Amino acid sequence: MLKKILKWFSVAMVLAIAGLWLFWPSNLAIRGPLLDFMTGKQLGAPAADVMAKRFKLPEGFRIGIFASDVNNVRSIAVTASGDVLAASMRPGEVVLLHRDENSDGAADGRTILAKGLDWPHGIALADGMLYIAETERILRAPYDASSRSLGTLETVFDGMPPGGNHRTRTVGVGPDGKLYVSVGSSCNVCIEEQPYRASMLVMNPNGTDARTFATGLRNSVGFDWNPRTGGLYATDNGRDLLGDDTPHCELNLVEDGADYGWPYAYDDQQPDPDFGSGNEDKVTASKPLVHGFGAHRAPLGIRFFDPETAPPGYETAALAALHGSWNRSELAGYKVVSLHFNEQGTVEERDFLTGFELNEDVIGRPVEMAFDARGGIYISDDYAGVIYKVGWGDIPVPGFAMAEKTIADPLADFDEMTLFAMAENGAEVYQENGCAACHDPAATTEGVQAKELKGLASRYDVGALVALFAAPPGPMPAFELDRGNSEALAIYLLQTFGEN
């Protein structure tokens, strides 16, 4: 019976795709791997020479393949023991990629933790529990990172609407300990009748007291909390069929009770041509976007760097994965960008990882990012079925001989007398500003976990630390230091905590 259902479903899918291509309006573009996406086709991992020619990263970063053959991999998360959890969506599995213990940068093995799931997309770890977001429900089970064992899955919430154009669900655990779940719209643009559509939900970890947190979010696949401000930021896929450059795919600061416009408005309170007229009150009440990615970029995952382990210059930044366009005459997206937040609340977007698309040739589509305890960056690609690893400093990456790499001494330009004098001054600054209360386990108060400093020389030089003191990431307090004391403190830290 199941085989017959699958057969007829496949036939219906082929007919639908054929109709889409035959009867699509001639003035509206269909480009990119749309057919492959609809059928679930996988390309496989790119060869090393292709990666070397195509992929571009900022100076100092390197990329390799952490794991391949992870079918339709979507959300990923790093466990407390350094393994990588991955939602393999179409096969309906959650896969555990074993941590790199032989320092070659690649996964040392894999285990299927759960199978038979209904389009598992979002995964999250918190308080010893693994949460999995299927299309219609949220599951959870105890997870022991040290033994790599998953307990019995239980349903904590099953009130989400099924199917529709956007059937992926993303789950995250907020700083308040609550579960947050994004539910996409059923259509390109329409008035929804089902509850929870085009919304973000919030509930207790056991699924009780579920309610709508924010609405008007057409398809916010990715979200994360800014560690400096606590603000919840979410990507949102803008509507299609309004041309190459309208409207923006959005980055929104999602607030309790806010409405972000869809289907009545987009961008900065711009009326939608289908539903804006006659709904001017809804248009003017909609909350404007924080940042526009451009039209049809399809932003999915977003992850803020941990300020404690971020590469220099990225302490206050986030990464966002642009899955890539299909409804555009020229392809756009197909890359990972960094988002740099300034004190005024605006965002500067920079290319981080490019090369998934080149001259209309697509070799991958990035989905999600995750960070390990050292600052290594993992990036999932559902089109190639790959999880990439990006490293910097002495973080091992597949294909790079780390033993041959040497790290420059950040204090090499200072003479011995200068270092001695400034380090003494820096030690006084360290004590006067109470730094030990946060970074020395022997000096912290009961119940406070120390953020031990180590390995600073592989991540910072004096100038980078001075810049960090001038714009400290939360929860690090602001310093009122002149240039001389800032440099002295930087030298003391690099001398004292430079090694791992």
Side-chain angles (χ1 to χ4, degrees):
M1 183 65 182
L2 179 60
K3 289 184 177 179
K4 287 184 178 180
I5 293 174
L6 292 174
K7 178 181 177 182
W8 284 111
F9 176 79
S10 299
V11 170
M13 180 69 76
V14 170
L15 291 174
I17 293 169
L20 185 68
W21 284 97
L22 287 173
F23 300 107
W24 195 262
S26 59
N27 65 325
L28 297 175
I30 298 180
R31 306 295 295 275
L34 176 62
L35 184 60
D36 290 347
F37 174 74
M38 295 179 70
T39 60
K41 177 182 176 181
Q42 298 280 275
L43 287 186
D49 61 331
V50 174
M51 291 176 58
K53 292 176 183 177
R54 296 275 295 255
F55 287 147
K56 304 296 182 187
L57 284 157
E59 186 176 355
F61 293 90
R62 306 169 309 281
I63 187 170
I65 294 176
F66 177 73
S68 58
D69 299 317
V70 188
N71 194 316
N72 204 231
V73 56
R74 300 287 286 190
S75 293
I76 53 178
V78 179
T79 73
S81 60
D83 297 328
V84 177
L85 285 161
S88 184
M89 187 170 69
R90 289 180 188 268
E93 298 174 344
V94 172
V95 182
L96 184 73
L97 289 313
H98 300 178
R99 63 184 176 272
D100 168 33
E101 295 190 83
N102 60 6
S103 298
D104 67 353
D108 287 354
R110 69 181 64 191
T111 303
I112 296 177
L113 288 182
K115 56 186 177 180
L117 303 173
D118 178 23
W119 272 55
H121 177 270
I123 54 178
L125 288 164
D127 298 325
M129 303 294 288
L130 170 63
Y131 295 86
I132 303 171
E134 294 184 313
T135 294
E136 297 182 51
R137 60 180 183 163
I138 305 297
L139 308 172
R140 75 172 180 179
Y143 179 70
D144 187 320
S146 59
S147 63
R148 293 175 171 152
S149 60
L150 182 68
T152 301
L153 286 167
E154 63 171 342
T155 300
V156 297
F157 183 72
D158 61 359
M160 293 181 293
N165 280 17
H166 304 120
R167 54 178 167 168
T168 62
R169 310 288 181 250
T170 306
V171 61
V173 179
D176 56 1
K178 302 280 189 178
L179 284 187
Y180 291 76
V181 182
S182 63
V183 180
S185 67
S186 65
C187 59
N188 175 41
V189 58
C190 62
I191 305 297
E192 297 284 9
E193 297 180 358
Q194 294 175 305
Y196 297 148
R197 281 288 187 189
S199 299
M200 185 171 290
L201 316 182
V202 64
M203 63 191 74
N204 293 324
N206 63 0
T208 59
D209 296 333
R211 64 178 178 87
T212 299
F213 184 76
T215 61
L217 297 164
R218 179 176 175 271
N219 192 27
S220 287
V221 177
F223 57 88
D224 196 17
W225 287 263
N226 187 328
R228 285 196 306 157
T229 65
L232 172 56
Y233 286 85
T235 61
D236 195 31
N237 285 220
R239 64 160 294 182
D240 298 314
L241 311 183
L242 293 182
D244 270 5
D245 301 311
T246 303
H248 277 290
C249 290
E250 300 178 354
L251 177 69
N252 291 303
L253 175 57
V254 182
E255 297 177 333
D256 197 354
D259 188 322
Y260 293 82
W262 185 90
Y264 308 103
Y266 56 78
D267 290 0
D268 187 358
Q269 299 180 338
Q270 295 299 308
D272 184 275
D274 291 316
F275 292 102
S277 179
N279 291 293
E280 287 78 11
D281 57 334
K282 292 181 172 63
V283 173
T284 56
S286 66
K287 190 172 176 62
L289 76 174
V290 170
H291 172 72
F293 291 100
H296 313 302
R297 268 62 173 180
L300 299 186
I302 178 173
R303 283 289 177 266
F304 281 88
F305 284 92
D306 180 345
E308 299 288 338
T309 59
Y314 291 85
E315 293 86 357
T316 62
L319 294 179
L322 307 187
H323 200 225
S325 64
W326 65 268
N327 174 217
R328 201 171 188 278
S329 60
E330 293 184 7
L331 297 185
Y334 300 98
K335 60 184 177 180
V336 178
V337 298
S338 59
L339 305 175
H340 300 261
F341 293 71
N342 62 33
E343 296 300 325
Q344 290 72 42
T346 58
V347 177
E348 178 190 356
E349 178 182 324
R350 305 175 192 167
D351 283 349
F352 184 77
L353 173 59
T354 62
F356 292 98
E357 181 272 325
L358 182 65
N359 299 324
E360 305 283 303
D361 177 45
V362 176
I363 63 170
R365 305 186 78 185
V367 177
E368 178 66 286
M369 291 72 52
F371 305 104
D372 64 26
R374 296 185 61 190
I377 305 164
Y378 299 85
I379 300 171
S380 64
D381 174 347
D382 66 344
Y383 193 26
V386 166
I387 298 175
Y388 296 99
K389 184 177 181 181
V390 174
W392 49 277
D394 64 348
I395 296 172
V397 169
F400 289 85
M402 297 310 300
E404 301 174 3
K405 182 176 176 60
T406 59
I407 299 172
D409 180 2
L411 301 178
D413 293 336
F414 296 87
D415 63 69
E416 189 172 339
M417 291 296 293
T418 300
L419 286 176
F420 179 80
M422 295 191 74
E424 277 199 331
N425 182 27
E428 294 178 1
V429 175
Y430 183 86
Q431 294 300 326
E432 290 171 357
N433 285 275
C435 300
C438 292
H439 299 296
D440 183 353
T444 56
T445 57
E446 185 177 355
V448 176
Q449 184 177 2
K451 296 286 187 179
E452 293 188 63
L453 300 174
K454 59 177 68 175
L456 297 184
S458 66
R459 301 166 50 208
Y460 298 97
D461 58 17
V462 172
L465 282 176
V466 168
L468 183 68
F469 302 152
M476 181 177 172
F479 288 84
E480 295 183 3
L481 303 176
D482 59 28
R483 179 74 184 189
N485 282 332
S486 290
E487 289 183 347
L489 178 58
I491 288 172
Y492 167 73
L493 294 177
L494 289 169
Q495 277 196 341
T496 308
F497 307 105
E499 301 298 326
N500 286 321

